Amino acid sequence: MKKLIDPESELKYMFFSGKGGVGKTSLSCATALWLARKGYKTLIVTTDPAPNLSDVFEQQIGHKMTKVNWVKNLWAMEIDPDKATEEYRNRILDPIRKFLPIDTLKVMEEQLRSPCASEMAAFDKFVEFIGNTEFDIVIFDTAPTGHTLRLLELPVDWSKFIEASSQGARQTCIGSVQLLESAKEKYDRAIETMRDKNKTTFVFVLQPEAISMYEARRSMEELSTIGIDTGILIVNGILPDEQCTDDFFKKRRQMQEKYLKEIKGRFKIPCILVNLLDTEIKGLDILSKVGVSLFGDA
Amino acid sequence: MNKDVEDRILPKNETRYLFIAGKGGVGKTSIACITAVWLARKGYRTLLVTTDPAAHLANVLEQRIRDTPTEIDRVPNLWAANIDQEKAHQEYKKRILDAAKEKYSEKMTMTIEEELNSPCAKEMAAFDKFVSFILETDYDVIVFDTAPTGHTLRLLKLPTDWTRQIELSGLVSGRTGSIENVKEKFRKVTEIMSDPARTTFAFVMYPEATPILEAWRAAEELGNVGIHTNLIFGNLILPEEHCRNEFFKKRKEMQDRYIEEIKSRFNVPILKMLLLDSEIVGIDALTKASGMLYEDGGGLNG
């Protein structure tokens, strides 16, 4: 287990996937803190819409790499996803604005507001860290989907693409518009890095429930179509046994057990269980407790 | 039941449309089923339209649901249809790709194909199916267990050249009539959806920071296209009488704080659905849950 998150060898990047609300940010911050305390120079990057690293670390973070107070080796950075998407959109559209009919431009602008485009913008930010030698490990509290990565891998004929768009391919959420030829090589290298298990670990966060399980399976399968295997599962929100004294919670706890069994049977990868806490995960003390419960003593 | 909520759920002279929006995993399908059962029991002819990909709807209702309205045993006045999203998506993809193959190179077609795998394209395909149900008037109420996003609606609204658009995509059109008809159909549907007298947009969320924020962003986006959220379902609410030790008391207090936040942010009525000690499966469980949600009053809160 430890080997998976120990950057001893080459490991440099970690991605946390999973639906909103399952605890990706808290768990990725706890992981970052744990690694920093082990002596690795660590950067945690979030693209969450709420600038919540400031909440978690109880200090102002922001769009820049910021040193986390009181912790040696830990830096954090918040990327505003709306701003990132807008920058991205402009970078794509600015060079071609004047060549496009106004209607086509409007359609493309809207397409570049899609969830896929936001994901692409976040990925774009990640690419900036590839090859970075300043940190031992970089953690992202969110991860691109298989669909995004497949799009990025496709060969694209830019001029044809605009032609098709102008003919009204508005039913798609065009991702590959972004694939300016010059960026292609950079993206290919980034995806190569993500595929390399010695360099990158994908972590999937889920809850012991039917729908969460179903979605985890789907996303993980999709990632595997691009050759990326998820390395660690974290099941969050487990009711602590000793707290379930009331019959009501005993029954809920049994339900969770049933799903845990199914999760362990279905996904053949290391699985870490994390108990529900009686507080929100904020502040270094709680984060460091969560880190220890995840990976053992630092 | 509180009059304010009643106005947003019950049909008056025309068909009432209820869209249950929210991120995956917050309990949309359960809330939609509970609501539909309650309305049908009240005597309204109710159609439940879902896009449940896990196909557990069949378990919840304890019967096989087709993609056309299926009468539900043991609940008079209730019909359900499950849009097979996967199938709808495949059909939609095929329609566009067939047209594209004639025009573009193989490389280009590959890219279009991958783009058609996007979540947005899936949503479009589902919306295409929705539209046909929205124009059905055989029912007093239609409950949809999912809703299009602002982004999808904005895309559909854009003033592109419809002729070319439809030529390439076949979207919304496909089967019937002229382009004028398609335009008219879409105009009518968006008009219905932005009319609070006929349509209610409800968000499901549980009282925690991230789900609230995500719903808020989605609601804001819908607001920009003239669709206003007018009801909230707070799901997975811890029942007070079972929160007896410190641990669960503290969790309950946390939820209370977030419920206050939901109230002040959205400023619409909140219906609270309690966490239960078992999964909601079967008509009896649904009926019981619908009593808890709509009758007991405990959940009601302006």
Side-chain angles (χ1 to χ4, degrees):
Chain A
M1 179 86 60
K2 266 194 188 153
K3 211 177 120 245
L4 281 164
I5 65 146
D6 215 330
E8 207 100 283
S9 52
E10 262 188 286
L11 178 63
K12 182 118 191 170
Y13 307 101
M14 281 180 92
F15 288 91
F16 281 72
S17 325
K19 279 272 162 174
V22 293
K24 287 195 297 289
T25 301
S26 322
L27 292 169
S28 52
C29 288
T31 305
L33 179 63
W34 188 85
L35 285 163
R37 292 241 160 106
K38 282 212 88 160
Y40 299 105
K41 197 171 171 192
T42 305
L43 171 68
I44 164 99
V45 182
T46 178
T47 51
D48 203 276
N52 54 3
L53 285 192
S54 305
D55 276 1
V56 175
F57 290 118
E58 296 175 321
Q59 90 184 55
Q60 194 56 43
I61 305 284
H63 207 69
K64 268 203 198 113
M65 264 183 238
T66 308
K67 175 83 183 57
V68 175
N69 295 336
W70 320 114
V71 188
K72 226 179 135 187
N73 297 321
L74 185 58
W75 278 258
M77 180 173 174
E78 289 170 346
I79 291 168
D80 176 337
D82 292 336
K83 227 161 71 192
T85 311
E86 197 193 318
E87 282 168 16
Y88 191 49
R89 191 165 54 236
N90 290 337
R91 214 178 69 214
I92 305 306
L93 291 178
D94 284 349
I96 53 174
R97 267 182 214 283
K98 50 177 180 284
F99 305 114
L100 293 174
I102 184 90
D103 281 358
T104 306
L105 196 62
K106 274 189 178 157
V107 171
M108 288 179 75
E109 271 181 342
E110 187 52 46
Q111 284 165 338
L112 288 166
R113 277 193 187 94
S114 74
C116 310
S118 312
E119 211 184 273
M120 212 73 86
F123 182 78
D124 205 46
K125 291 283 170 192
F126 161 68
V127 170
E128 290 173 17
F129 290 99
I130 295 279
N132 172 304
T133 49
E134 206 180 322
F135 292 96
D136 296 323
I137 184 154
V138 182
I139 298 181
F140 278 77
D141 83 337
T142 182
T145 62
H147 163 64
T148 300
L149 297 175
R150 282 199 308 268
L151 256 182
L152 285 168
E153 273 212 327
L154 284 168
V156 164
D157 186 332
W158 181 235
S159 56
K160 285 254 177 60
F161 208 88
I162 292 171
E163 188 196 337
S165 292
S166 68
Q167 300 211 3
R170 81 166 177 200
Q171 66 288 341
T172 75
C173 280
I174 295 181
S176 37
V177 168
Q178 293 89 322
L179 269 184
L180 296 161
E181 297 290 331
S182 60
K184 176 80 175 133
E185 202 185 314
K186 244 173 36 187
Y187 287 153
D188 284 349
R189 206 167 54 230
I191 295 173
E192 213 33 67
T193 305
M194 292 169 94
R195 271 199 195 110
D196 184 343
K197 273 181 228 158
N198 292 318
K199 290 188 185 141
T200 306
T201 295
F202 269 74
V203 181
F204 208 100
V205 185
L206 71 164
Q207 298 204 319
E209 278 164 23
I211 294 180
S212 190
M213 227 171 69
Y214 170 81
E215 303 215 338
R217 201 185 64 206
R218 263 208 333 201
S219 318
M220 285 162 65
E221 269 170 18
E222 224 203 351
L223 276 173
S224 73
T225 63
I226 195 98
I228 291 175
D229 295 323
T230 303
I232 309 177
L233 272 186
I234 300 182
V235 187
N236 198 12
I238 313 266
L239 293 169
D241 213 8
E242 71 278 11
Q243 301 294 350
C244 296
T245 43
D246 188 282
D247 274 347
F248 179 88
F249 290 109
K250 268 187 196 145
K251 268 185 90 174
R252 297 240 17 132
R253 163 88 202 181
Q254 280 162 14
M255 240 157 71
Q256 289 194 337
E257 303 274 359
K258 194 183 81 189
Y259 285 116
L260 279 177
K261 231 172 117 185
E262 215 176 315
I263 289 168
K264 284 180 183 160
R266 181 169 282 174
F267 304 104
K268 306 284 182 209
I269 50 176
C271 178
I272 303 174
L273 308 185
V274 179
N275 275 352
L276 189 71
L277 299 181
D278 64 355
T279 64
E280 291 180 88
I281 300 178
K282 273 182 192 178
L284 293 177
D285 288 348
I286 296 170
L287 276 183
S288 109
K289 255 195 234 164
V290 174
V292 170
S293 81
L294 279 167
F295 306 112
D297 287 324
Chain B
M1 176 183 234
N2 164 322
K3 177 82 173 56
D4 209 13
V5 175
E6 209 172 275
D7 281 348
R8 293 160 207 243
I9 299 259
L10 301 183
K12 290 184 200 102
N13 308 320
E14 302 172 277
T15 306
R16 155 79 61 185
Y17 304 92
L18 283 172
F19 285 90
I20 316 279
K23 282 270 173 154
V26 292
K28 287 194 296 287
T29 301
S30 303
I31 296 285
C33 288
I34 292 168
T35 303
V37 165
W38 183 73
L39 285 161
R41 294 243 186 253
K42 288 219 113 183
Y44 298 105
R45 288 169 57 83
T46 304
L47 173 64
L48 169 67
V49 181
T50 90
T51 50
D52 173 38
H56 70 249
L57 188 71
N59 296 333
V60 176
L61 293 170
E62 291 178 323
Q63 98 182 51
R64 205 179 138 237
I65 310 297
R66 294 185 303 270
D67 59 2
T68 52
T70 311
E71 229 177 315
I72 302 301
D73 304 331
R74 297 182 51 220
V75 189
N77 299 316
L78 182 60
W79 287 261
N82 191 12
I83 296 174
D84 183 337
Q85 246 177 324
E86 201 43 50
K87 205 171 110 195
H89 182 217
Q90 293 309 329
E91 284 168 10
Y92 174 82
K93 252 171 78 175
K94 189 172 179 304
R95 232 158 55 207
I96 296 167
L97 279 177
D98 284 351
K101 272 178 195 150
E102 289 173 18
K103 287 187 173 171
Y104 303 114
S105 69
E106 197 184 330
K107 266 185 176 177
M108 186 69 209
T109 317
M110 263 168 70
T111 306
I112 294 180
E113 184 168 3
E114 188 49 49
E115 278 167 356
L116 287 168
N117 285 329
S118 77
C120 310
K122 280 179 199 165
E123 208 188 290
M124 289 276 181
F127 186 71
D128 193 19
K129 294 272 172 191
F130 271 15
V131 169
S132 53
F133 285 108
I134 293 174
L135 300 172
E136 283 247 8
T137 48
D138 281 356
Y139 301 93
D140 298 324
V141 191
I142 305 184
V143 182
F144 295 91
D145 86 337
T146 178
T149 61
H151 168 63
T152 299
L153 296 173
R154 281 198 312 264
L155 265 180
L156 288 167
K157 235 183 196 163
L158 281 170
T160 39
D161 182 333
W162 278 87
T163 325
R164 278 188 185 162
Q165 177 62 37
I166 286 156
E167 187 191 14
L168 181 68
S169 74
L171 172 70
V172 191
S173 72
R175 310 163 276 276
T176 51
S178 70
I179 288 146
E180 284 309 310
N181 282 343
V182 175
K183 265 167 101 172
E184 177 55 22
K185 200 160 106 178
F186 182 67
R187 196 196 54 75
K188 224 167 126 183
V189 166
T190 39
E191 191 189 293
I192 290 174
M193 286 173 68
S194 27
D195 176 6
R198 285 181 285 178
T199 300
T200 295
F201 250 81
F203 267 90
V204 184
M205 65 195 76
Y206 48 90
E208 278 177 33
T210 308
I212 294 173
L213 188 86
E214 286 185 344
W216 174 250
R217 282 165 62 90
E220 226 182 354
E221 215 185 13
L222 282 166
N224 290 337
V225 289
I227 291 175
H228 298 287
T229 302
N230 28 30
L231 191 64
I232 303 282
F233 290 96
N235 201 13
L236 308 183
I237 308 290
L238 292 168
E240 187 135 36
E241 70 274 24
H242 293 295
C243 296
R244 287 193 271 218
N245 56 19
E246 272 313 299
F247 182 89
F248 287 108
K249 269 184 195 151
K250 273 181 87 174
R251 295 229 35 121
K252 176 83 189 155
E253 278 162 23
M254 232 157 74
Q255 284 198 340
D256 288 344
R257 277 203 310 276
Y258 280 116
I259 286 176
E260 286 309 311
E261 181 167 344
I262 295 173
K263 275 189 203 162
S264 64
R265 253 183 200 266
F266 288 87
N267 200 22
V268 298
I270 306 175
L271 278 162
K272 294 184 201 157
M273 183 65 213
L274 293 177
L275 183 75
L276 302 179
D277 65 356
S278 53
E279 290 169 279
I280 305 173
V281 170
I283 300 294
D284 292 338
L286 283 170
T287 306
K288 200 175 144 211
S290 75
M292 288 171 70
L293 183 58
Y294 289 105
E295 307 283 345
D296 295 351
L300 258 196
N301 210 318

